[in-house]
Amino acid sequence: MPKTLAEKVYEAHVVRRADGEPDLLYIDLHLVHEVTSPQAFDGLRAAGRTVRRPDLTMATEDHNVPTLDILAPIADPVSRAQVEALRRNAAEFGIRLAPMGDRDQGIVHVIGPQLGLTQPGTTIVCGDSHTSTHGAFGALAFGIGTSEVEHVLATQTLPQYRPKQMAVTVDGELPPGVSSKDIILAVIARIGTNGAQGHVIEYRGSAIEALSMEARMTICNMSIEAGARAGLVAPDETTFAYLQGRPHAPQGADWDAALEHWRTLRTDEDAVFDREVRIDAASLTPYVTWGTNPGQGLPISERVPDPADLTDEDERRAAEQALAYMGLTPGTPLREIEVDTVFLGSCTNGRIEDLRIAAELLRGRRIDPGTRMLVVPGSVGVKTQAEAEGLDRVFVEAGAEWRGAGCSMCLGMNPDQLSPGERSASTSNRNFQGRQGKGGRTHLVSPSVAAATALTGKLTAPADLDFTAQLETAGV
Amino acid sequence: MDAFTTHTGTAAPLRRSAVDTDQIIPAEYLKRITRTGFEDGLFSALRRNEPDFVLNRPEHAGASILVAGPDFGTGSSREHAVWALLDGGFRVVISSRFGDIFRNNSTKSGLLTVLLPQEEVERLQAAVEADPALPVTVDLQDRAVSYSGTTVPFEIEDYTRWRLLEGLDDVGLTERHLSDVEAYEADRPSWLPRVLPVP
Ligand code: SF4
């Protein structure tokens, strides 16, 4: 039977299959962070259990951590208690932890790939829905709840039902200034936040193959926003080149053995997907969201939609609630929406390539005086690399704030939050109500739109800037 | 985990679609390291911002069954959403579509998530809006929701149903198959990634 890549990875990890029961799936890598793990460790302790494979488990501090004064004790006592609980648990159960200040610390989905722990054909889980990020390497990677975290800690396995298979094929060439973030925002706008429910999405096609690993991670990251269980991309030379030489990548003869296996990780030609969606890359433009879920997005050249135009009653009610929360009037051109804050960071777009793209637009320019811009590298590794390239100076000279690594304003568990009514352009993945702080209003954008927006104070595409520059040169 | 066989209580109609887990419990409440005590976070932003929100209405104060719109529990994997619902007195959530991870989480803590067709969900919402004191029974043994003479069957995987009926915890069940896990581990290629030792 021809199989999809996701089916191959899944089948290779079935430990036990029995009629009328879920499959028992082996987990190659378990990533742990402070928010979704304390109750799981408590469960282990209460039952007198140990961690079965500490050597396949890695912990980091990311969701709660401040991005200023990172070596001082965390000021918020509740956040501090949570981080301290993780430190105690990691020590007690013999798990490697990257604490604040460590060179390996960072957002869990940034450090896995960076360390070379994220590898093709593996199964990866974490108590975090954006674990799908790791699918960019051809891994089957998905988010789990705290009870499942406990289950994986104790047994290194998970009971699972076979997911359905979906293909999102993106062919053609992306226009300049359009990025992988725009691809995924367009996909979600097209299929809706439940469009891929119960499915694993394989992203394929010439436009996906042309993307860097960072860009592929951005797409896989947001699979969950389309309701998918996971998202992945078949590994190729780009993947292997990214991995080679990373601290945990196989070396020497192991590398050759791994490579031989990795090259087999492709969907069979006549494999059948339960659902297929095709997108023409050349037709895409920068996307921004106007509402309170990631499916409520449009090309930046459009206007805020009028709920009255929506025929589906449910969608209309959702749009009305969204616009009321967002404080937006139907018909307003998206380009005229003024923002207070620009957030560049998160596990969606907090990688070195994202920072480079934004820095390129900001170089030698000043951000709008009424706008604050927060640049939060996804990990200490990204931060160090960016500083070595001088990107931090570009940001600071442009008037942006250069911060320490963590989740930061993606979800506002640390002090980086929007105040009520404040509006942001954010490179993160969720524009849910209150996600970036109580009453905060979020527009999801790509790194280049974030940088362009910081320069003008309004939602802006990079191409708009070039146009202005051209007009200036032409003396208009 | 507490076993679930059958439950009778009053129901609260939540007429909103795509209530994500950030709305069920905002991030600021996720810092607690215990497994209980999350009731203060349950729908806290909606309760604060919308005086008319269903759980602010006295007639639905004691509800233990939430009759929600489609796509309930999408988004973040936080199991705290399930705990908050349980801590807030809910034993059952009914919807026509759930977020996958939320639904999975619910089965681990004894919160029953019932899938009904959207028109049945709306009929039940209308019934409890008309009579908030209407007793609603959710019977997992018989796989049916019944109220005022109406009985609506629902489907649930046999395995999940059995676990909920018995109140069984997954780890204990998996430990019965440790020899399979050991056999699998013996065959894993040596080049697969290891976190320890630090290189
Ligand atoms: S950056 Fe945001 S989405 Fe990513 S892991 Fe952190 S909180 Fe979750």
Side-chain angles (χ1 to χ4, degrees):
Chain A
M1 254 264 289
K3 287 197 175 76
T4 67
L5 167 59
E7 286 170 330
K8 288 182 189 181
V9 180
Y10 184 96
E11 291 301 325
H13 288 82
V14 174
V15 167
R16 178 176 183 276
R17 178 167 281 160
D19 271 352
E21 290 181 32
D23 295 331
L24 196 60
L25 212 63
Y26 199 79
I27 303 303
D28 291 317
L29 178 66
H30 185 193
L31 301 166
V32 173
H33 64 81
E34 76 275 16
V35 180
T36 55
S37 68
Q39 296 85 354
F41 285 111
D42 279 349
L44 288 187
R45 252 188 305 270
R49 294 180 170 122
T50 56
V51 174
R52 179 173 179 82
R53 295 296 300 263
D55 60 332
L56 305 183
T57 312
M58 166 100 203
T60 185
E61 300 169 358
D62 55 6
H63 282 65
N64 268 301
V65 303
T67 55
L68 290 172
D69 296 330
I70 59 158
L71 295 177
I74 302 181
D76 175 357
V78 207
S79 286
R80 187 167 69 228
Q82 199 163 58
V83 167
E84 280 168 0
L86 180 62
R87 291 180 186 178
R88 276 197 310 277
N89 288 327
E92 178 181 339
F93 290 94
I95 293 170
R96 176 167 156 211
L97 168 70
M100 270 187 293
D102 190 281
R103 64 171 181 166
D104 293 332
Q105 181 261 339
I107 306 173
V108 65
H109 311 309
V110 177
I111 66 165
Q114 181 182 298
L115 289 169
L117 285 166
T118 300
Q119 292 180 16
T122 57
T123 48
I124 302 176
V125 297
C126 172
D128 191 283
S129 59
H130 294 103
T131 308
S132 57
T133 312
H134 307 262
F137 291 78
L140 185 59
F142 51 93
I144 57 178
T146 298
S147 295
E148 292 177 306
V149 169
E150 183 177 335
H151 192 281
V152 178
L153 288 171
T155 69
Q156 204 58 32
T157 65
L158 257 190
Q160 282 291 304
Y161 290 98
R162 247 178 294 189
K164 286 186 278 194
Q165 306 293 318
M166 176 166 173
V168 170
T169 307
V170 192
D171 279 316
E173 215 174 304
L174 283 175
V178 181
S179 70
S180 67
K181 183 65 163 283
D182 303 307
I183 295 180
I184 190 64
L185 285 174
V187 167
I188 303 166
R190 162 98 76 94
I191 69 173
T193 51
N194 55 39
Q197 211 204 11
H199 292 74
V200 172
I201 302 176
E202 180 176 341
Y203 301 95
R204 47 207 325 238
S206 58
I208 303 292
E209 286 160 23
L211 295 175
S212 68
M213 289 315 294
E214 282 91 344
R216 294 178 191 182
M217 284 188 248
T218 302
I219 292 190
C220 289
N221 174 273
M222 290 191 70
S223 303
I224 179 80
E225 310 315 334
R229 200 71 183 99
L232 45 63
V233 176
D236 59 10
E237 295 309 317
T238 306
T239 320
F240 310 144
Y242 180 98
L243 276 169
Q244 195 159 28
R246 301 219 167 237
H248 290 269
Q251 283 165 22
D254 279 348
W255 172 262
D256 298 335
L259 205 56
E260 197 186 325
H261 173 62
W262 294 346
R263 290 195 199 281
T264 68
L265 297 170
R266 309 204 73 85
T267 290
D268 294 330
E269 223 148 90
D270 28 12
V272 187
F273 288 94
D274 300 285
R275 187 168 179 206
E276 287 200 62
V277 171
R278 288 187 168 272
I279 303 252
D280 173 17
S283 72
L284 294 175
T285 58
Y287 259 68
V288 300
T289 60
W290 51 267
T292 53
N293 74 54
Q296 292 171 323
L298 281 171
I300 194 170
S301 53
E302 301 274 339
R303 292 164 184 268
V304 175
D306 190 343
D309 296 341
L310 294 169
T311 44
D312 182 275
E313 202 206 320
D314 204 56
E315 269 181 44
R316 188 178 63 237
R317 195 170 344 139
E320 278 164 3
Q321 282 164 356
L323 291 187
Y325 181 84
M326 294 295 289
L328 291 174
T329 317
T332 311
L334 296 171
R335 280 197 172 97
E336 283 176 17
I337 296 174
E338 293 186 11
V339 307
D340 308 292
T341 294
V342 172
F343 172 61
L344 176 62
S346 88
C347 61
T348 319
N349 284 123
R351 299 186 176 79
I352 188 68
E353 185 180 277
D354 303 310
L355 302 192
R356 285 184 193 138
I357 288 170
E360 225 25 75
L361 279 162
L362 295 180
R363 196 179 294 277
R365 291 168 154 151
R366 291 285 299 175
I367 67 170
D368 174 71
T371 308
R372 92 173 145 148
M373 181 177 190
L374 226 61
V375 185
V376 181
S379 69
V380 172
V382 170
K383 184 168 191 277
T384 313
Q385 170 82 26
E387 287 170 356
E389 295 177 18
L391 304 184
D392 58 323
R393 285 196 308 280
V394 175
F395 289 120
V396 171
E397 281 162 16
E401 296 175 40
W402 177 247
R403 296 293 189 89
C407 294
S408 177
M409 200 184 268
C410 175
L411 92 167
M413 276 188 87
N414 77 349
D416 308 338
Q417 297 181 12
L418 295 180
S419 17
E422 214 184 322
R423 188 181 296 285
S424 81
S426 174
T427 64
S428 55
N429 44 37
R430 285 188 174 140
N431 50 344
F432 294 161
Q433 296 190 14
R435 171 80 177 181
Q436 297 191 290
K438 257 183 235 168
R441 296 160 168 167
T442 304
H443 297 273
L444 300 178
V445 298
S446 72
S448 59
V449 170
T453 299
L455 289 169
T456 63
K458 292 179 193 166
L459 292 179
T460 303
D464 305 345
L465 296 174
D466 291 339
F467 186 54
T468 325
Q470 278 160 16
L471 288 180
E472 275 165 13
T473 347
V476 180
Chain B
M1 164 171 99
D2 291 339
F4 189 109
T5 47
T6 182
H7 173 79
T8 301
T10 55
L14 178 63
R15 286 203 186 254
R16 298 174 90 94
S17 59
V19 173
D20 52 70
T21 53
D22 275 70
Q23 288 180 67
I24 300 175
I25 183 165
E28 55 179 308
Y29 294 94
L30 307 186
K31 298 182 184 184
R32 196 172 278 125
I33 58 176
T34 58
R35 213 176 168 123
T36 52
F38 292 95
E39 61 277 2
D40 54 342
L42 181 63
F43 297 118
S44 63
L46 292 170
R47 284 197 300 198
R48 190 174 48 239
N49 300 335
E50 299 182 15
D52 205 29
F53 181 64
V54 58
L55 297 185
N56 286 337
R57 285 188 237 138
E59 66 270 28
H60 292 298
S64 55
I65 298 167
L66 188 67
V67 193
D71 298 314
F72 186 81
T74 51
S76 157
S77 66
R78 55 189 71 167
E79 197 163 324
H80 311 69
V82 171
W83 303 334
L85 284 160
L86 286 168
D87 292 346
F90 289 97
R91 288 304 317 272
V92 182
V93 184
I94 298 174
S95 169
S96 63
R97 263 194 320 257
F98 290 100
D100 279 343
I101 308 180
F102 173 82
R103 179 133 208 254
N104 207 15
N105 287 342
S106 71
T107 68
K108 314 287 177 182
S109 298
L111 176 75
L112 183 63
T113 42
V114 173
L115 269 175
L116 289 185
Q118 182 59 21
E119 57 282 7
E120 291 295 350
V121 173
E122 284 173 25
R123 196 177 314 177
L124 177 54
Q125 286 174 333
V128 298
E129 274 159 1
D131 176 10
L134 180 74
V136 177
T137 297
V138 181
D139 190 334
L140 181 58
Q141 199 82 47
D142 289 346
R143 306 173 207 230
V145 178
S146 44
Y147 59 98
S148 55
T150 311
T151 297
V152 193
F154 63 86
E155 287 178 25
I156 183 168
E157 282 130 8
D158 289 339
Y159 184 82
T160 307
R161 172 171 167 270
W162 166 72
R163 272 189 43 245
L164 286 165
L165 287 171
E166 304 288 326
L168 290 173
D169 122 62
D170 268 336
V171 182
L173 291 173
T174 299
E175 281 177 340
R176 298 179 192 174
H177 307 300
L178 273 188
S179 57
D180 293 326
V181 180
E182 281 161 12
Y184 183 91
E185 285 179 329
D187 274 350
R188 293 176 78 239
S190 60
W191 47 260
L192 281 167
R194 290 218 193 300
V195 175
L196 300 167
V198 187

